[in-house]
Amino acid sequence: MILNEWVFVGLFFLLGPVLLVVPIALSKWLAPKRPTPIKQDAYECGAEPVGLAWKQFRAEYYIFALVFLVFDVELVFMFPWALAYNKLGLFALFEMVIFVLLLVVALVYTWRKGALEWS
Amino acid sequence: MTGFLQDIGLSYELAVLVAKALGVAVVGAFGLLWTLLGIWIERKVAARFQDRVGPNRVGPFGLLQSIADAVKIILKEDIMNRHVDRWPYNLAPILSTLSVMLIWAVIPFTAAWVGADLNVGVLYLVAVGSLGTVAVIMAGWSSNNKYALISAFRAVAQLISYEVPMVISLLVPVMLAGSLSVQAIVKSQHIAYLFAVPMTVLIFLISGQAENGRGPFDLLEAESEIVAGFHIEYSGMKFGMFYVGEFLHAFTLSVLTALLFLGGWQGPLAEKIIPLGFVYLLLKSVFVYFVLIWVRMTLPRVRIDHLLNFNWKFLVPLSLINLLVVAFLWKLMPDTDQINSFADALGPTLVLFLANVVMFAGVAWWLREWARRDREHIEARRAVVAEPAEATAAAGD
Amino acid sequence: MDITAEAIVFLLLSVLTLGSALLVVTTRNLFHAALYLMLALFGVAGFFVLLAAPFLAGFQVVVYIGAIAVLIILAVMLTPSVTRLPRIYNAQWAVNLALAVVFFLLLFSVLTPVVDDLGISGTWGANFTQNSPADVPASSVSDLGEALVDPQQYMLPFELASVLLMGALIGAALLVSPTARDDEDAPHESGQGA
């Protein structure tokens, strides 16, 4: 029974890309194609690119991904809680308050440590 | 539909499958075609904000402008950097639009028209939405362009940051309705949740706008800073795909807001005359869409450090507080687990609305204090900078 | 849907998952490896749907693809040879292979009726209570929510999870905080922000 609803979603995953590929394929068929070496260079404001972009990068975004991951896992617990909330007592709310408070403390610590600053 | 297919000799399973496949095609094509109209609406409204007329040559009121543009972009040459990583490069625009289009699979258009009424609908929205982040990384990295890569990193930082308050604000309607199914959430809104939890709607719209990378949060494609963003190396229809994806995303955000907070297809007689619900949904969505364009046209672009500060130091704590306050009041009021009519919903809605007013006042005070401290900080720094300058000026005399 | 349709979907998902998992370890391009990993994780989400556990499927995508795989890609960017990994074999490949075989046998023995036949079930086997996904109650996610906050059941693990997450966040903050990043001797200016 549950799976029946998912047939539609599964078909969407299969047929959706087809709908999107059609205009691209159409363009491939209809559009002109006259490549020249300069046209095919990477566009970096007109200056000639030096080397490839696939280099070692210092990703200062790493910390945001880490914090995001922590909050994402937190949400795993919050979803069932929110869903069942109407059936739960006030006690469940206090448990969630503690749960969230611990995370907020950690977030404030991260903030005070200066890890959330853009460098 | 299924009956007809069985009549022409298909087995029941196959008939269901074909009917569902047709449903997919209709919903997907509707989403894509509506985007063309959405682009026209957006251009017309934006033009009015800027005291222009907007598209007005192709067709009545320029209505066919988007179609002309679509034909044009299909006929454009696809200029491809010769160093690209082909597979991810070609897949990225499709995945980008697909991640938005897949949301339409669970949208209830009326009381009866719904593709898949999943019992985890809201979670599904979040899940397929997060695939968009992957598309951004794929596009940025496979383009083999430093600007594309740098802006993809920025985009990822923005997308994943704003996903947190968005999902937390999504939990509020889930909690009030006691269901993850979008259809059930629509049906539980005897009074639109907008009146009960305006703060949640605001958080949802702000973070949704940021997820979409438009309005004041359009630094993903800040033309003056990083050329065009992660899709700089794309041209022709592949660029068009990102463009369609962005507009579809904006409209999908409006539809979701209409469904989760404005009562979706609900309206007078919507339960009796089924297609009427579809009209209500579209009207509500277009209204939200207008508000989003309004915001986009009014506010200047924010800086990336402000953007991330605003999220982690303001929006995330606020959304958590908001969720817990709503949860607390919801539990405090009697019989909130069995609201079956307008009269039942009236009391809780009023209480929550008043609580939201208090919260808005608190937030306004909080922001004022923050701005005051920020200003003092900047002025103190300016004084330090100004002093040596005066000293040198005096020495020069 | 009848059994055969599910079996076909299961087979397709298996090919997708195992195939992309194989590509993760054989490709020399780390970025591609990360993308294949996403595909493999996506296949696993498909299995969860087949098992009538859509909640797990959703979070498989949100957490593993949306967060962990993205994190892996950001980490991959930090390595000097993203596109051309010099060697694909680890120096300890023999140990790894042995461990993989042991873990596979363990999983196999827990998840299949083999152990039942040997007569040591109850302490060892997985003891599935549901034979078919169709038997899973539709309210399972809601039940999970109730079980999580029930003091008789999972209240303590639930709160401990929060403590664990707090530890993770503080660890992350320590890793990247400006003071930790700067040179020990060099004078630095930090604490500018607020």
Side-chain angles (χ1 to χ4, degrees):
Chain A
M1 272 314 286
I2 301 171
L3 286 180
N4 265 336
E5 295 290 332
W6 284 89
V7 172
F8 188 82
V9 175
L11 284 172
F12 223 112
F13 269 88
L14 289 177
L15 296 179
V18 176
L19 278 176
L20 300 176
V21 165
V22 166
I24 291 181
L26 209 63
S27 162
K28 194 145 193 105
W29 179 46
L30 291 173
K33 194 135 188 76
R34 293 186 202 90
T36 66
I38 289 184
K39 220 194 231 176
Q40 284 181 294
D41 253 343
Y43 175 69
E44 293 177 355
C45 291
E48 272 186 48
V50 180
L52 301 180
W54 297 334
K55 291 269 164 56
Q56 195 171 358
F57 262 86
R58 198 181 80 96
E60 60 270 291
Y61 320 84
Y62 199 74
I63 176 67
F64 293 104
L66 277 171
V67 178
F68 168 65
L69 177 60
V70 169
F71 274 89
D72 234 16
V73 176
E74 180 207 357
L75 286 168
V76 176
F77 293 96
M78 289 177 89
F79 257 93
W81 172 83
L83 182 60
Y85 189 68
N86 276 338
K87 296 183 220 157
L88 302 172
L90 201 57
F91 186 61
L93 176 68
F94 293 133
E95 281 178 56
M96 187 45 81
V97 169
I98 295 168
F99 187 86
V100 168
L101 214 61
L102 281 171
L103 269 165
V104 169
V105 166
L107 183 69
V108 169
Y109 177 82
T110 319
W111 172 352
R112 288 278 167 238
K113 261 292 187 198
L116 291 179
E117 301 301 324
W118 184 262
S119 49
Chain B
M1 185 72 215
T2 321
F4 169 73
L5 287 168
Q6 273 178 293
D7 286 344
I8 58 170
L10 296 177
S11 70
Y12 175 71
E13 278 85 12
L14 206 60
V16 169
L17 206 63
V18 171
K20 282 193 190 274
L22 280 172
V24 169
V26 168
V27 173
F30 173 76
L32 290 180
L33 293 178
W34 181 268
T35 310
L36 293 180
L37 190 63
I39 292 172
W40 175 80
I41 294 175
E42 174 134 13
R43 289 180 64 176
K44 269 292 190 196
V45 174
R48 289 295 168 192
F49 274 109
Q50 296 164 351
D51 204 10
R52 292 183 287 123
V53 182
N56 61 350
R57 289 303 163 103
V58 193
F61 309 106
L63 258 172
L64 303 178
Q65 181 68 48
S66 298
I67 296 172
D69 285 345
V71 172
K72 187 199 77 174
I73 208 161
I74 284 178
L75 293 176
K76 281 268 183 184
E77 180 178 357
D78 177 28
I79 302 169
M80 196 156 79
N81 176 350
R82 84 183 91 93
H83 300 295
V84 298
D85 192 351
R86 273 175 193 265
W87 271 98
Y89 177 84
N90 287 324
L91 279 178
I94 297 171
L95 186 61
S96 173
T97 309
L98 186 69
S99 74
V100 186
M101 209 168 93
L102 282 171
I103 290 178
W104 288 64
V106 295
I107 286 180
F109 293 99
T110 70
W113 306 351
V114 50
D117 186 19
L118 298 185
N119 59 351
V120 290
V122 174
L123 182 58
Y124 172 84
L125 300 177
V126 179
V128 296
S130 69
L131 293 178
T133 317
V134 179
V136 168
I137 295 185
M138 275 166 79
W141 192 82
S142 65
S143 295
N144 203 347
N145 181 314
K146 288 136 206 154
Y147 287 87
L149 193 54
I150 290 169
S151 94
F153 281 151
R154 273 190 180 195
V156 168
Q158 172 175 344
L159 292 180
I160 59 178
S161 296
Y162 278 85
E163 202 173 316
V164 175
M166 192 173 86
V167 179
I168 295 175
S169 62
L170 275 177
L171 284 174
V172 172
V174 168
M175 190 170 70
L176 300 189
S179 172
L180 281 169
S181 148
V182 183
Q183 182 71 295
I185 290 176
V186 171
K187 280 188 181 155
S188 71
Q189 295 181 55
H190 301 285
I191 299 176
Y193 286 153
L194 170 70
F195 300 108
V197 287
M199 179 70 95
T200 315
V201 182
L202 195 66
I203 296 169
F204 180 74
L205 280 179
I206 292 174
S207 47
Q209 188 88 335
E211 282 277 291
N212 197 351
R214 25 172 46 204
F217 307 108
D218 56 347
L219 3 63
L220 307 189
E221 42 187 286
E223 293 88 344
S224 42
E225 295 164 31
I226 44 176
V227 207
F230 58 88
H231 50 50
I232 174 177
E233 283 296 336
Y234 287 88
S235 57
M237 196 54 222
K238 283 175 202 156
F239 165 74
M241 224 18 118
F242 281 113
Y243 190 75
V244 166
E246 188 201 318
F247 278 87
L248 186 60
H249 195 161
F251 191 70
T252 308
L253 177 65
S254 320
V255 174
L256 289 181
T257 313
L259 284 170
L260 298 172
F261 299 108
L262 298 183
W265 46 260
Q266 289 206 344
L269 292 175
E271 303 253 12
K272 300 226 172 56
I273 310 163
I274 295 294
L276 205 57
F278 186 56
V279 177
Y280 289 140
L281 179 64
L282 276 189
L283 284 178
K284 287 172 185 175
S285 309
V286 169
F287 169 70
V288 180
Y289 195 50
F290 173 76
V291 172
L292 290 181
I293 299 172
W294 189 358
V295 170
R296 182 183 178 210
M297 286 297 128
T298 310
L299 298 174
R301 185 185 299 146
V302 295
R303 227 166 59 191
I304 182 113
D305 56 335
H306 288 175
L307 175 101
L308 291 166
N309 274 351
F310 179 68
N311 181 66
W312 290 111
K313 300 178 184 176
F314 177 70
L315 220 48
V316 170
L318 180 67
S319 59
L320 284 170
I321 292 169
N322 175 52
L323 175 72
L324 293 177
V325 167
V326 172
F328 179 64
L329 290 171
W330 194 245
K331 197 87 298 179
L332 227 52
M333 285 178 288
D335 299 330
T336 43
D337 52 340
Q338 33 198 318
I339 291 176
N340 294 316
S341 67
F342 183 84
D344 286 349
L346 198 59
T349 303
L350 271 176
V351 172
L352 282 178
F353 182 77
L354 288 177
N356 267 276
V357 170
V358 174
M359 259 200 286
F360 269 115
V363 167
W365 178 81
W366 180 11
L367 282 178
R368 237 183 73 193
E369 280 298 297
W370 192 343
R372 193 180 53 75
R373 252 183 293 132
D374 233 25
R375 216 167 22 240
E376 276 172 11
H377 197 77
I378 291 168
E379 265 159 21
R381 210 185 300 169
R382 193 178 288 152
V384 173
V385 174
E387 253 168 43
E390 275 165 19
T392 43
D397 281 346
Chain C
M1 284 284 114
D2 54 347
I3 297 299
T4 49
E6 270 175 27
I8 292 168
V9 175
F10 177 77
L11 270 177
L12 288 176
L13 283 174
S14 307
V15 171
L16 176 81
T17 310
L18 294 177
S20 41
L22 190 69
L23 283 166
V24 172
V25 287
T26 50
T27 179
R28 278 176 182 274
N29 187 326
L30 275 179
F31 183 76
H32 287 180
L35 291 182
Y36 286 130
L37 180 66
M38 286 182 180
L39 206 57
L41 293 169
F42 187 78
V44 174
F47 286 134
F48 281 135
V49 171
L50 273 188
L51 288 170
F55 179 75
L56 288 182
F59 269 108
Q60 171 81 12
V61 174
V62 171
V63 173
Y64 279 88
I65 298 182
I68 290 180
V70 167
L71 196 65
I72 287 176
I73 287 189
L74 289 183
V76 158
M77 295 295 173
L78 295 169
T79 60
S81 50
V82 181
T83 47
R84 281 186 306 277
L85 205 60
R87 290 174 304 143
I88 48 174
Y89 293 111
N90 190 307
Q92 293 144 353
W93 64 271
V95 183
N96 292 341
L97 185 68
L99 278 177
V101 169
V102 168
F103 278 125
F104 177 75
L105 287 178
L106 268 176
L107 263 181
F108 188 76
S109 65
V110 171
L111 296 178
T112 57
V114 172
V115 202
D116 283 352
D117 298 343
L118 292 175
I120 44 173
S121 66
T123 53
W124 184 254
N127 288 323
F128 294 114
T129 50
Q130 250 92 30
N131 288 322
S132 154
D135 299 338
V136 177
S139 65
S140 55
V141 184
S142 177
D143 294 345
L144 177 65
E146 285 181 67
L148 267 183
V149 289
D150 188 349
Q152 304 296 321
Q153 295 189 51
Y154 299 106
M155 188 192 85
L156 196 62
F158 172 69
E159 297 297 343
L160 279 179
S162 178
V163 176
L164 184 69
L165 289 174
M166 183 173 92
L169 202 50
I170 289 175
L174 278 177
L175 267 179
V176 298
S177 70
T179 38
R181 229 168 20 205
D182 282 356
D183 216 350
E184 291 286 300
D185 309 320
H188 53 259
E189 279 183 49
S190 61
Q192 280 291 327

